[in-house]
């Protein structure tokens, strides 16, 4: 059984308030309606009164329109120190694939993925076993791997529903080593940043220094990672420049002072609140300004470290001696965490002063982050850490709603004749003659999982609005029937930026000739 404890829905916005957007909306609308009623009571033939009524109504309807134009996107995050283990046979419950509403984005951060030299080189050539399992599990549910970044044992992977891919742009990743004074990648941080419907998001997966007495070193490493990670983006050159930042991973903060007996007694009786005030991360938040900008849900789940493998029992190993040093049982701790930060309002106002675009309106109704669940799943035992799950709602207005390219399938497709499709550039972007359009079978895993592809116009970059016709050779088309989609891959953006509507490829006559299917005569197979 999964050890799950649902938390109260936690909401934050650019003013770091916990007030829900709907409550705020009702309060503002009540104010406007009160003003309207006052105007109606004083209504006369006075033009000034009529003008006040009109203005107040406009403001009220404008507010209603603002809120109705907002959309909510579900984010599912996982952080797990996998202790160099191979993945379990099934991760469906970890990904909560049967939950409602369905997830829009999956962000999975792993630490201590097997990174022996031979294994690491192998993983650079083909997908590592963890990525492979996640892709095999998520692809049939309609999720596509958008990007990933790996630094030795640290791995960060982003998946999204196909419908969102054309609006995930400006993807960049980077990493920072902190192990062995920055020369070794066993500790540090990796991050992926991107624009999601025009809002800037950044995900930072960290593995910080271990052991009880290194809380301040962990803090130093976190600040070092924030200072050194840079992106080639004028408006978001560093992690904290992004509208929303998620910081997660094996942060390795421990529970100070309490003895082993008190810790285990509190955990066994689910009295986790007795441990919160000695959690090192919670203690540091009281005095470190940068940590005070980050929010975290209540720790209403078991400490996630250290367990005996394949059990729900905390460390029971007998003390061992190395070179005269006696080993100790590890105290349980919430080493594995997920926090988030909304860019502070004051910082945004400073940014706006240097921008020609503007506005106060966007600030007042900025992105809202609501945490629905914060828990661990103790049923997974391949590691001495338990995976931590965080689910969130990102509520915002779409700043970008038009894809960069339109793709249209022409005629009926089968491998009996060459196929035709067209593409049209709808908006300016850094297109290239090395861009290509892939043919993907529904349920594909990533941009590289295509059946065949065709280059875009190869003599010059297409102009905006120009309809370009492309031909696919019949010899490269699938012989068997199936449902497919065309996807435009941008070489410069390193992602799929447009899709055609889904369409069917018919079974080819060649399939019978080559013995892939039996011949059907008068409804009977031969």
């Amino acid at each position: 059984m999964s050890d799950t404890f649902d938390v109260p829905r936690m909401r934050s916005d650019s003013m770091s308030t916990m007030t829900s957007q709907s409550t705020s909306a009702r309060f503002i609308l009540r104010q406007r309606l009160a003003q309207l009623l006052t105007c109606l009571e004083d209504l006369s033939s006075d033009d000034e009164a009529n003008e006040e009524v009109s203005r107040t109504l406009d403001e009220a309807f404008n507010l209603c329109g603002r809120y109705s134009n907002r959309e909510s996107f579900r984010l599912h995050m996982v952080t797990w120190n996998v202790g160099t283990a191979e993945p379990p046979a099934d991760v469906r419950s970890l990904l909560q694939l049967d939950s409602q509403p369905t997830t829009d984005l999956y962000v999975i951060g792993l630490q201590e993925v097997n990174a022996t030299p031979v294994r690491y080189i192998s993983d650079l050539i083909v997908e590592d076993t963890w990525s492979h399992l996640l892709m095999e599990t998520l692809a049939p549910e309609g999720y596509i791997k958008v990007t990933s970044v790996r630094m030795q044992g640290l791995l960060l992977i982003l998946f999204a529903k196909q419908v969102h891919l054309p609006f995930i742009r400006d993807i960049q990743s980077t990493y920072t080593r902190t192990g062995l004074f920055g020369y070794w990648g066993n500790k540090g941080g990796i991050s992926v940043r991107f624009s999601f419907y025009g809002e800037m998001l950044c995900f930072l997966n960290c593995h910080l220094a271990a052991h009880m007495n290194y809380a301040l070193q962990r803090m130093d490493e976190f600040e070092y990672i924030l200072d050194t990670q840079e992106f080639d983006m004028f408006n978001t050159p560093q992690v904290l420049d992004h509208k929303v930042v998620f910081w997660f991973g094996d942060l390795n903060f421990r529970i100070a002072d309490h003895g082993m007996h008190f810790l285990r007694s509190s955990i066994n009786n689910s009295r986790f609140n007795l441990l919160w005030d000695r959690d090192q991360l919670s203690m540091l938040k009281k005095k470190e300004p940068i940590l005070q900008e980050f929010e975290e849900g209540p720790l209403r789940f078991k400490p996630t470290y250290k367990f005996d493998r394949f059990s729900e029992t905390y460390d029971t190993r007998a003390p061992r001696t190395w070179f005269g040093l006696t080993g100790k049982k590890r105290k349980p701790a919430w080493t594995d965490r997920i926090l988030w930060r909304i860019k502070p309002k004051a910082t945004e106002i400073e940014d706006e002063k240097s921008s020609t675009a503007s506005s106060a309106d966007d600030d007042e109704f900025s992105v809202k982050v609501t945490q629905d669940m914060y828990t661990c799943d103790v049923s997974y035992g391949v590691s001495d850490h338990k995976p931590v799950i965080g689910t969130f709602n990102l509520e915002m207005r779409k700043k970008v709603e038009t894809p960069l390219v339109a793709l249209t399938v022409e005629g009926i497709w089968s491998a009996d004749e060459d196929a035709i499709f067209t593409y049209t550039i709808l908006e300016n972007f850094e297109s290239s003659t090395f861009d290509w359009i892939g043919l993907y079978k529904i349920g594909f895993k990533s941009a590289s999982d295509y059946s065949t592809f065709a280059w875009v116009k190869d003599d010059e970059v297409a102009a905006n609005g120009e309809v370009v016709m492309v031909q696919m050779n019949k010899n490269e088309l699938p012989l068997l029937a199936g449902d497919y989609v065309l996807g435009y891959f941008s070489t410069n953006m390193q992602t799929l930026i447009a899709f055609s509507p889904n369409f069917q490829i018919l079974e080819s006559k060649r399939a019978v000739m080559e013995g892939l299917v039996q011949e059907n005569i008068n409804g009977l197979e031969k």
Side-chain angles (χ1 to χ4, degrees), residues 17-35:
T17 68
M18 299 301 293
T19 306
S20 71
Q21 179 254 337
S22 60
T23 301
S24 176
R26 288 194 297 269
F27 176 75
I28 295 172
L29 286 173
R30 278 199 298 268
Q31 286 183 317
R32 296 295 186 267
L33 290 173
Q35 293 174 12

Side-chain angles (χ1 to χ4, degrees), residues 80-149:
W80 193 3
N81 182 321
V82 298
T84 72
E86 289 301 296
D90 189 351
V91 290
R92 287 187 64 87
S93 66
L94 183 68
L95 302 173
Q96 298 179 349
L97 287 171
D98 299 324
S99 65
Q100 292 296 328
T102 58
T103 297
D104 296 287
L105 299 174
Y106 277 97
V107 178
I108 294 117
L110 305 179
Q111 306 85 39
E112 291 195 22
V113 175
N114 192 335
T116 58
V118 173
R119 187 60 175 273
Y120 188 65
I121 293 172
S122 172
D123 290 346
L124 293 176
I125 300 171
V126 296
E127 296 284 357
D128 63 273
T129 54
W130 285 92
S131 296
H132 179 75
L133 174 63
L134 290 166
M135 292 167 69
E136 289 289 331
T137 304
L138 288 169
E141 306 295 330
Y143 296 96
I144 298 160
K145 176 188 163 186
V146 181
T147 190
S148 66
V149 57

Side-chain angles (χ1 to χ4, degrees), residues 63-75:
L63 282 169
C64 290
R66 283 279 176 74
Y67 286 110
S68 63
N69 196 31
R70 298 173 69 83
E71 294 193 38
S72 184
F73 302 93
R74 186 172 177 82
L75 166 66

Side-chain angles (χ1 to χ4, degrees), residues 135 138-145 162 165 413 436-453 472 476-487 496 499-507 516-517:
M135 292 167 69
L138 288 169
E141 306 295 330
Y143 296 96
I144 298 160
K145 176 188 163 186
Q162 179 185 315
L165 259 69
W413 283 40
W436 46 269
I437 291 97
L439 175 66
Y440 296 92
K441 189 169 186 178
I442 299 303
F444 68 99
K445 303 178 185 70
S446 66
S448 60
D449 189 24
Y450 52 80
S451 299
T452 186
F453 75 95
M472 277 192 171
E476 297 181 356
L477 297 180
L479 297 178
L480 300 178
D483 294 322
Y484 288 82
V485 66
L486 294 174
L496 290 162
F499 293 97
S500 71
N502 293 359
F503 65 99
Q504 187 176 48
I505 292 183
L506 302 181
E507 188 174 285
L516 299 177
V517 293

Side-chain angles (χ1 to χ4, degrees), residues 29 45 77 95 128 228 235 247 249 268 274 297 310 313 315 323 332 349 351 366 379 449 487 489 513 519:
L29 286 173
S45 59
M77 295 184 64
L95 302 173
D128 63 273
T228 56
N235 56 346
W247 172 41
N268 290 338
L274 298 179
F310 300 103
T313 304
D315 191 7
F323 307 106
I349 291 173
D351 290 347
S366 59
S379 66
D449 189 24
F489 184 86
M513 296 172 57
E519 186 175 4

Side-chain angles (χ1 to χ4, degrees), residues 19 69 83 88-89 122 172 186 217 231 259 335 349 370 378-379 461 477:
T19 306
N69 196 31
S122 172
Q172 291 189 12
N186 66 318
Q217 181 176 333
F231 303 99
T335 56
I349 291 173
T370 306
V378 297
S379 66
V461 174
L477 297 180

